[in-house]
Amino acid sequence: MSIEGLTFTITGTLGVDRVKVHDLIREHGGIVRPNVTKKNDYLVVGEAPGARKVKKALAYGIRIISGYEFGKMFPEYRELSELEWASKIDPTAVDEI
């Protein structure tokens, strides 16, 4: 899957260094934004995500994925695809946030 031109925001703890995740996105032509906007393509949620970011993403219809799902976007990076991600959140269970 190509992420060229896709916009990502990260929230919560992913179990890997956030700078490494940002670098990975940029190396593959993606864009990293600190906040959720209508221009986002993905919100990647880890453990203890920011409730405001999740609610905005839901309101804007942005795809919410777990850290594990994010890692699967990069199968050539064994560390990320096999890492036991800290993210266990169900993006549809917004009442828990």
Side-chain angles (χ1 to χ4, degrees):
M1 168 183 193
S2 174
I3 67 162
E4 182 80 31
L6 297 179
T7 303
F8 295 82
T9 296
I10 313 295
T11 186
T13 303
L14 295 179
V16 295
D17 182 45
R18 188 175 293 249
V19 172
K20 184 173 182 173
V21 173
H22 288 184
D23 289 346
L24 181 62
I25 292 168
R26 290 183 183 115
E27 286 169 13
H28 283 80
I31 301 161
V32 179
R33 300 259 186 242
N35 298 307
V36 175
T37 71
K38 291 180 181 181
K39 294 181 180 182
N40 274 74
D41 295 292
Y42 291 95
L43 175 64
V44 182
V45 295
E47 187 175 328
R52 187 176 312 154
K53 287 182 180 177
V54 173
K55 288 178 183 178
K56 268 188 164 181
L58 288 169
Y60 295 152
I62 295 166
R63 180 145 187 233
I64 300 173
I65 60 173
S66 69
Y68 179 73
E69 290 172 295
F70 172 78
K72 291 172 98 177
M73 296 173 107
F74 307 95
E76 71 272 22
Y77 288 92
R78 185 170 175 220
E79 177 187 358
L80 292 178
S81 63
E82 292 185 357
L83 184 64
E84 188 173 303
W85 292 89
S87 177
K88 303 273 191 246
I89 187 171
D90 176 2
T92 61
V94 292
D95 293 335
E96 297 176 13
I97 297 172

